Amino acid sequence: MTATEGLLVPPGQGRIMQTPAQHVTFKVTGTHSRVASTFEVIVPPGFDVGAHVHTRSEELFYVLEGELDVLAFEPRIRTPDHWQRWESPSGNRVVRATPGTVIVVPPGCPHAFANPTNTPAKMFFQASPPPDHERYFEELLEILGGGGPPDHAAIRELRARYDIEQLTPLRHR
């Protein structure tokens, strides 16, 4: 691709990585953009990414299909579990995001998403700067691809390498 050519990714195209815990299609990578990596993510029923925070990354989520519980605020108290019960000092609580909902997460803001329903949800996800989230997804899906319960120690170590402070554990059915 040259500076005078854009990138067109047709529906259903892109590099796909899939495990029982998550399905990620890489749409735009650091090879194509200096600004952000872009993914289409299918979130299966029962998946909970766990509350976490980045010091450098900014993220944008756009719900395309289904419903997700979403957190994007600093809570009064960071309890080690059940981020779904957290509340901000100003009274914000976790929101049930439906199609068309946009969530923007600046650096330093705790955030999480989970699919509490019985149907998959699909979201457009953008992370800046690239390519950290590309590499993170590749390694995370490798860990989750082993089947069985998540290896929390491996996930914690992975996240620490990619500017992700884990506040509550990742879970999936």
Side-chain angles (χ1 to χ4, degrees):
M1 185 169 83
T2 67
T4 59
E5 294 180 10
L7 173 69
L8 174 73
V9 184
Q13 299 296 305
R15 185 163 62 101
I16 297 172
M17 297 190 71
Q18 184 173 357
T19 71
Q22 212 165 37
H23 181 282
V24 178
T25 303
F26 290 59
K27 295 292 190 173
V28 180
T29 66
T31 303
H32 306 105
S33 173
R34 293 173 288 142
V35 178
S37 301
T38 304
F39 313 91
E40 185 177 271
V41 179
I42 297 174
V43 184
F47 182 84
D48 175 353
V49 73
H52 59 281
V53 65
H54 311 276
T55 58
R56 296 183 311 272
S57 295
E58 180 170 290
E59 297 177 335
L60 178 140
F61 302 89
Y62 183 89
V63 179
L64 299 167
E65 298 173 8
E67 297 180 352
L68 295 170
D69 284 349
V70 178
L71 163 83
F73 57 79
E74 181 66 56
R76 290 176 201 263
I77 301 170
R78 290 184 181 184
T79 57
D81 209 0
H82 305 297
W83 59 265
Q84 292 87 342
R85 297 183 191 142
W86 289 2
E87 183 178 338
S88 76
S90 64
N92 286 331
R93 293 182 169 272
V94 170
V95 172
R96 177 67 51 95
T98 56
T101 303
V102 173
I103 303 98
V104 177
V105 182
C109 179
H111 56 287
F113 63 86
N115 183 348
T117 73
N118 291 319
T119 58
K122 184 188 288 187
M123 68 177 172
F124 172 90
F125 169 60
Q126 196 166 55
S128 178
D132 281 1
H133 253 76
E134 298 159 37
R135 294 180 184 137
Y136 166 73
F137 272 138
E138 291 168 345
E139 294 183 46
L140 176 64
L141 292 174
E142 198 172 293
I143 292 169
L144 296 176
D151 180 341
H152 292 293
I155 292 169
R156 204 171 15 261
E157 187 275 327
L158 169 69
R159 288 183 166 183
R161 285 190 286 118
Y162 286 102
D163 183 39
I164 303 169
E165 178 188 352
Q166 191 69 36
L167 304 177
T168 67
L170 178 147
R171 295 186 174 96
H172 72 89
R173 289 184 194 155

